[in-house]
Amino acid sequence: MAAPPFTRPRCLLPLMLGLFQGALLLFFALFVTYDESSLRAEDASSTNQVYTTFPFFQDIQVMLVVGLGLLLTFLPRYGLSALTHNFLLLNFSMQWALVLQGLLHHFQHGQIYLDLHKVLTAEFAAVTVLISVGAILGRTSPCQMLAMATCEVPIYLASEWVIINSLGVLDVGGTITIHIFSCYFGLGVSKALFGAAQPLHPKETPTPRSDLMSLVGMLILWVFWPSFVAVLCQPGDAQHRAILNTLLAMSASTVTTVVASSLLERDGRLSPGHLQNGSLAGGVAIGVVADMTMPPVAALALGTLSAVVCVLGFRFLTPFLGKKLALQDQCGIHNLHGLPGIVGATASVMVILAASKDTSRSHFSQLSPTGGNSSEVVGGQWGDHGVKGQASSQAAGLAVAISASLLSGLLTGAVLRLPCLARPPEQLCFDDSLYFKIQDHTESLTPVSTAEEVALALKE
């Protein structure tokens, strides 16, 4: 007897992951080895990576696994799913990015040589998936999210190569290449996947407990964010500037978020959603200019402005886009990653135009994702095409990131509409009991309601 339609998707997830991991094991056995320098116990470059890069790498791991995972638990009955799916997508996307990066950039003499820097840049590719999923969180199945990651990672790598290598954009903290790209990719997926406006789900409203867990996630992200921005900077003055500028911007965005949130509410009370996102907006905006020479007040101003646009976005823009464009943005990624990212990219144009050629030659450098220095990638020093040329490159990079991500997101969203990817019916969205064995049945669906909802799902 054939399996009921609703049980086949439950077998699809382990089948997809099992085939993926099996293929990866074969690929690594045939083509991947450690970098030759890593095989020598006393090699200086390997030791340098361990002591200079790995502390930053650990901070980023805490951000993504714990901080971002907890930030997504604002949905009261979807916290277990949000944490687990975030963790799963991180590992799936990182391994997939390692394969693609190795084939595209590091395939030499029939081998891919692995080191810590390559794992780090693969994790940056995974970050784009984790951000984009925020737009469709709770209304999609794990199979849909894995399919989205499979499509997004190669598109991200291609767009990053164009933005950094071809256009020569300077973006040490990933404001353009990561935050803006992932935001509009996720919004494109959401628009194509859902089409019409989605009604407010009864399980969608946060509770004080879920908001508290999400605030804890925000605090963890806030503490470790400077490591995310500074890890690819040249060690020394540039990295020092990046850390200081990030701290100043995020401090300003935190204070400004409290001010803006309190003013927007008639009774002066704070919105937990504003705090969860606005406090991080400064870190998103500062990334593109973090290592550039600018006065400290510029970092404070950028953090202040990014928090204002983030809070205003939640208050006015999200309802407007939902009503006029039927755009679903479950986690408000447009307000946290899109709008502050555009503010930061615009600020990079202004900072570069205000810089002299001498300053630009000595103070604008970062490590490229392919392992070199970005100034080498764009053909030497800025003197080759001038400060105005670099400013134009920044603007072009912003346009490429938005257009490429939106178009590819729309195409990916169309793919996710395939019935075999098991999108959950509306009645079963935002509920851990659909994917996990819940021991405490007092907080889950009752057996009667579960049977009725599954019957409805089978009918659909």
Side-chain angles (χ1 to χ4, degrees):
M1 181 181 293
F6 195 65
T7 62
R8 288 197 191 117
R10 297 179 182 272
C11 300
L12 182 61
L13 178 61
L15 179 62
M16 289 177 62
L17 290 175
L19 290 175
F20 168 78
Q21 202 63 52
L24 200 78
L25 285 170
L26 180 61
F27 180 85
F28 267 62
L30 294 175
F31 301 111
V32 180
T33 185
Y34 288 116
D35 186 43
E36 292 181 358
S37 63
S38 300
L39 299 177
R40 296 192 293 269
E42 300 299 329
D43 184 80
S45 63
S46 177
T47 303
N48 185 59
Q49 276 199 9
V50 171
Y51 287 105
T52 60
T53 304
F54 189 63
F56 289 103
F57 183 81
Q58 282 184 307
D59 292 350
I60 295 171
Q61 289 281 81
V62 174
M63 286 179 64
L64 301 180
V65 175
V66 184
L68 183 57
L70 289 175
L71 186 68
L72 300 177
T73 60
F74 66 94
L75 297 169
R77 301 178 68 172
Y78 196 73
L80 188 59
S81 300
L83 273 168
T84 305
H85 295 159
N86 178 76
F87 190 41
L88 173 62
L89 285 172
L90 172 63
N91 287 278
F92 176 88
S93 304
M94 183 189 69
Q95 293 184 65
W96 178 223
L98 277 175
V99 172
L100 295 177
Q101 281 185 339
L103 292 174
L104 292 173
H105 302 302
H106 312 299
F107 196 75
Q108 300 174 354
H109 309 295
Q111 291 288 319
I112 297 172
Y113 296 97
L114 197 62
D115 61 19
L116 185 58
H117 183 268
K118 295 180 179 65
V119 176
L120 174 64
T121 54
E123 194 138 294
F124 280 175
V127 172
T128 62
V129 177
L130 303 185
I131 295 173
S132 298
V133 165
I136 57 176
L137 188 71
R139 296 185 185 270
T140 47
S141 68
C143 296
Q144 286 179 302
M145 290 187 280
L146 290 173
M148 177 176 170
T150 304
C151 298
E152 183 172 3
V153 169
I155 297 169
Y156 160 76
L157 293 176
S159 70
E160 182 200 44
W161 188 90
V162 170
I163 292 170
I164 300 297
N165 293 51
S166 297
L167 297 177
V169 172
L170 296 177
D171 186 19
V172 67
T175 297
I176 298 173
T177 56
I178 295 177
H179 294 287
I180 291 178
F181 174 87
S182 57
C183 168
Y184 290 100
F185 185 93
L187 294 180
V189 169
S190 177
K191 180 60 180 176
L193 178 60
F194 300 124
Q198 300 296 307
L200 183 66
H201 200 283
K203 302 171 190 173
E204 201 175 340
T205 305
T207 63
R209 183 177 180 181
S210 66
D211 271 332
L212 178 60
M213 293 295 293
S214 185
L215 279 172
V216 172
M218 179 275 291
L219 294 175
I220 294 172
L221 286 168
W222 196 97
V223 169
F224 291 107
W225 203 287
S227 295
F228 183 86
V229 172
V231 64
L232 289 181
C233 289
Q234 289 282 9
D237 290 342
Q239 201 167 64
H240 189 207
R241 281 195 301 272
I243 294 172
L244 291 176
N245 285 331
T246 304
L247 288 171
L248 289 175
M250 297 191 71
S251 180
S253 66
T254 300
V255 175
T256 305
T257 297
V258 174
V259 174
S261 180
S262 180
L263 290 176
L264 286 175
E265 298 295 333
R266 293 181 179 179
D267 53 6
R269 292 184 292 181
L270 302 178
S271 166
H274 294 166
L275 290 175
Q276 292 156 8
N277 294 274
S279 302
L280 303 174
V284 173
I286 198 66
V288 68
V289 296
D291 62 334
M292 298 183 182
T293 300
M294 58 184 184
V297 67
L300 288 171
L302 190 56
T304 299
L305 181 59
S306 61
V308 170
V309 298
C310 179
V311 174
L312 291 178
F314 273 103
R315 186 67 174 83
F316 300 107
L317 187 58
T318 295
F320 176 81
L321 294 177
K323 182 178 180 180
K324 298 298 183 180
L325 300 181
L327 187 62
Q328 173 76 24
D329 184 7
Q330 191 63 49
C331 296
I333 61 173
H334 190 221
N335 306 313
L336 175 55
H337 302 277
L339 297 178
I342 292 174
V343 170
T346 305
S348 73
V349 175
M350 299 171 62
V351 171
I352 290 170
L353 289 176
S356 66
K357 285 188 177 181
D358 290 338
T359 301
S360 67
R361 287 176 180 270
S362 58
H363 295 300
F364 296 88
S365 61
Q366 67 191 70
L367 298 177
S368 73
T370 54
N373 188 288
S374 63
S375 62
E376 297 171 357
V377 174
V378 298
Q381 304 292 345
W382 281 10
D384 296 339
H385 58 290
V387 172
K388 290 184 179 179
Q390 183 62 44
S392 300
S393 295
Q394 300 294 117
L398 174 63
V400 168
I402 294 177
S403 57
S405 58
L406 268 177
L407 177 60
S408 57
L410 289 169
L411 295 175
T412 302
V415 173
L416 298 190
R417 295 175 67 94
L418 293 173
C420 63
L421 294 178
R423 176 184 166 186
E426 184 68 16
Q427 293 83 358
L428 302 181
C429 290
F430 305 108
D431 203 309
D432 288 328
S433 63
L434 184 58
Y435 305 109
F436 290 91
K437 183 178 180 181
I438 306 297
Q439 299 298 329
D440 184 7
H441 293 283
T442 61
E443 295 184 2
S444 65
L445 296 173
T446 64
V448 175
S449 62
T450 300
E452 292 174 350
E453 290 173 344
V454 171
L456 181 60
L458 286 170
K459 183 178 179 181
E460 292 180 354

